[in-house]
Amino acid sequence: MRVLKQVLAVAAAALVGSRAVAAVQDNPWLALLLGTATAVATLLAYGWVVRRTERREVTELARSGAGTRIVQGMFIGFVMFAAVIVTIALLGGYHVHGVGSVTGVVGLFGFMAAAAVTEELLFRGLLFRLVEERLGTWLSLLLTGVLFGLMHLANPDAGVWGATAVTIEAGFMLAACYVATGSLWVPIGLHLGWNFAAAGIFSVVVSGNGESQGLLDASTSGPMLLSGGDFGPEAGLYTVLAGLALTVVFLGLAHRRGRIVPRRRPVDVPAADVTVS
């Protein structure tokens, strides 16, 4: 019941906000405003419901150092995706034709902020954290990573490989980031930096959701393992490898910091002595 209350509270705030953002998607300034408002609303909903149901301080969203951690995450996500795009470009799979839509960048940031915050709160803040408490880090990473990938099957140009790629490069990597830092701010920033770089700067398809009108007027070409095809570069081999590399780095940090949670073992209760009279 606790999990249900938490998921419903965050999902309700996210649903109302996403509907509002979708309604004004042609107005970049309103999209920025409502996207940011949706991110704030879901953060407040998460903090409220966790404090109410778990009766504790929400340390994973501690205010101290939040800004720095978001910026750190955004930097990692942006650099990671930029490196992927540069690699694809050097192999002839990414082409810049000119300048795209400067105002489109504004609206995309609002949309991506709402999506990054909502997905991290639901998948890492709630599902991963609560499963980890019972099954440990490794099983939680596997189960929630696969679920995160399967969620993307609902996207317009998704497929089995696209969902598999997202599972590896994002589902596992973002969970590992949370484990390594003990904070939701870093994976939120990483998720936002990655998606904004993809849509807002390099103007590529993000997770099969169609072309983006970002800062650059660009296109991709070549085999799917290079460009990702209709799903976008996230289905490309280089994005998968980059996400996998970061997953290993984050898990290494988590291990050194003693943040890997073992699977909870059942406690053996000795049988009561029975005296026969």
Side-chain angles (χ1 to χ4, degrees):
M1 184 61 70
R2 180 188 72 172
V3 177
L4 181 61
K5 289 179 180 178
Q6 293 175 341
V7 170
L8 287 177
V10 175
L15 179 61
V16 172
S18 63
R19 292 285 180 86
V21 174
V24 300
Q25 60 182 345
D26 293 330
N27 186 319
W29 298 103
L30 276 178
L32 173 64
L33 177 64
L34 292 178
T36 304
T38 299
V40 172
T42 52
L43 286 166
L44 292 174
Y46 179 94
W48 173 78
V49 76
V50 169
R51 281 192 297 270
R52 185 178 179 85
T53 57
E54 298 185 24
R55 302 187 183 280
R56 66 175 179 85
E57 287 299 316
V58 188
T59 54
E60 63 270 27
L61 286 178
R63 294 182 182 181
S64 178
T68 300
R69 289 175 175 173
I70 291 174
V71 171
Q72 288 174 342
M74 289 184 66
F75 177 78
I76 296 170
F78 186 91
V79 169
M80 171 192 169
F81 200 83
V84 169
I85 288 296
V86 168
T87 302
I88 295 174
L90 290 174
L91 294 172
Y94 178 77
H95 319 278
V96 177
H97 310 295
V99 177
S101 173
V102 176
T103 55
V105 176
V106 175
L108 283 169
F109 187 87
F111 179 81
M112 294 302 176
V117 170
T118 297
E119 291 180 10
E120 290 313 301
L121 292 180
L122 286 172
F123 281 91
R124 262 58 69 177
L126 292 179
L127 296 180
F128 175 84
R129 179 175 59 83
L130 296 174
V131 173
E132 185 187 42
E133 289 178 1
R134 293 183 176 274
L135 300 181
T137 298
W138 300 112
L139 277 177
S140 182
L141 187 144
L142 176 63
L143 294 174
T144 60
V146 169
L147 182 61
F148 187 70
L150 290 175
M151 180 191 72
H152 288 76
L153 282 173
N155 293 355
D157 291 316
V160 174
W161 167 245
T164 302
V166 169
T167 295
I168 298 169
E169 73 204 12
F172 295 161
M173 185 263 288
L174 290 166
C177 178
Y178 172 62
V179 177
T181 61
S183 168
L184 285 171
W185 295 122
V186 183
I188 285 173
L190 199 164
H191 197 150
L192 174 57
W194 174 342
N195 281 357
F196 182 68
I201 304 300
F202 299 109
S203 303
V204 296
V205 178
V206 179
S207 302
N209 281 310
E211 294 183 357
S212 303
Q213 299 298 318
L215 184 62
L216 299 175
D217 177 13
S219 62
T220 56
S221 64
M224 184 172 182
L225 284 180
L226 174 64
S227 67
D230 293 337
F231 193 79
E234 288 171 323
L237 178 62
Y238 294 100
T239 312
V240 173
L241 292 176
L244 188 59
L246 275 182
T247 300
V248 172
V249 170
F250 284 134
L251 289 176
L253 285 173
H255 177 72
R256 286 198 294 272
R257 294 171 179 175
R259 295 185 181 274
I260 301 295
V261 178
R263 184 177 181 182
R264 184 184 297 179
R265 300 293 182 182
V267 178
D268 293 328
V269 180
D273 293 333
V274 178
T275 303
V276 180
S277 56

